[in-house]
Amino acid sequence: MPMVIAIDGPAASGKGTLARRLAAHYGLPHLDTGLLYRAVALTLIDAGASLDDEAAAARAAACLIADRLADPRLRERAMGEAASRVSGIPAVRAALLAWQQRFAGTPDGAVLDGRDIGTVICPDARVKLFITASAEERARRRHRELEGRGEAVSLAAILADIQARDARDASRSAAPLRAAADAVLLDTTELDADEAFAAARAVVDRARTQ
């Protein structure tokens, strides 16, 4: 049975770092599904279209190609906010559903991280993790990350962004952010990256022996 690891959680919870490390450790392909929504948003911005143009967003999602995910602009802070807006469009989510499920359908399995992997994309995943941390700690992590990339932004502004994204992600009608009923909750507020990895790896290892 393929080892599909579904990792969900709010912005800056550490789920991306954790997903990459788990994928490398177990030799599985990894997909940061948030990049798909960032790529859709960037396509709209490059075309001069509104992020609220649902028809244009749906077309961008339907035509998305893997090469688009390599654009370094997708990692910029503004793209996170833009992605959160287009991700609430049901037609965008529908267009990207098959894209993500195809990725998860590789013979050996895969690691996917996002906000609706365990609930919508891969409801039958062998391992489901929901990674969280306090909003304040997530803001501090994102602030350090952006500073490391040379982006000057205040901690208060980042915290406000994270709180707004949390509210939008949790309240949207299409696949709201929530933990799957059978997901293992991992709060990383007091954990460093190595401790979080060890805890997640223990969950995966238990699933592999069952």
Side-chain angles (χ1 to χ4, degrees):
M1 181 179 179
M3 174 56 74
V4 175
I5 303 173
I7 302 179
D8 292 304
S13 59
K15 64 183 182 294
T17 298
L18 192 55
R20 287 190 295 274
R21 290 188 67 175
L22 288 173
H25 181 77
Y26 294 107
L28 297 171
H30 166 242
L31 177 63
D32 174 353
T33 64
L35 287 180
L36 303 177
Y37 296 96
R38 288 173 178 245
V40 170
L42 183 57
T43 299
L44 294 176
I45 291 169
D46 284 348
S50 168
L51 293 173
D52 300 316
D53 187 334
E54 295 192 6
R59 287 194 298 273
C63 298
L64 187 65
I65 59 174
D67 288 352
R68 187 69 162 160
L69 305 184
D71 192 318
R73 293 178 294 167
L74 298 181
R75 301 290 182 180
E76 294 175 359
R77 175 180 170 232
M79 283 301 103
E81 176 69 16
S84 183
R85 287 174 61 181
V86 301
S87 69
I89 300 173
V92 170
R93 303 199 75 86
L96 295 177
L97 175 62
W99 206 107
Q100 296 169 80
Q101 290 180 333
R102 281 196 302 272
F103 187 92
T106 54
D108 293 332
V111 181
L112 292 84
D113 70 90
R115 286 170 173 74
D116 64 344
I117 310 304
T119 54
V120 176
I121 307 301
C122 302
D124 297 323
R126 285 179 65 186
V127 177
K128 297 179 185 179
L129 293 167
F130 191 86
I131 313 303
T132 190
S134 70
E136 292 75 16
E137 175 59 23
R138 288 185 284 131
R140 284 190 286 270
R141 293 173 183 173
R142 182 56 52 84
H143 186 252
R144 288 194 297 268
E145 176 189 345
L146 293 173
E147 279 193 327
R149 295 208 299 258
E151 293 188 45
V153 59
S154 73
L155 179 60
I158 294 174
L159 178 59
D161 281 353
I162 281 177
Q163 291 170 330
R165 289 184 65 183
D166 285 353
R168 186 162 51 244
D169 290 344
S171 63
R172 67 186 178 218
S173 60
L177 172 65
R178 61 182 176 84
D182 54 347
V184 175
L185 179 66
L186 180 57
D187 188 326
T188 66
T189 302
E190 303 295 333
L191 303 180
D192 63 25
D194 289 339
E195 291 169 332
F197 177 57
R201 196 175 67 242
V203 175
V204 177
D205 286 343
R206 282 197 300 270
R208 295 177 75 199
T209 62
Q210 294 174 353

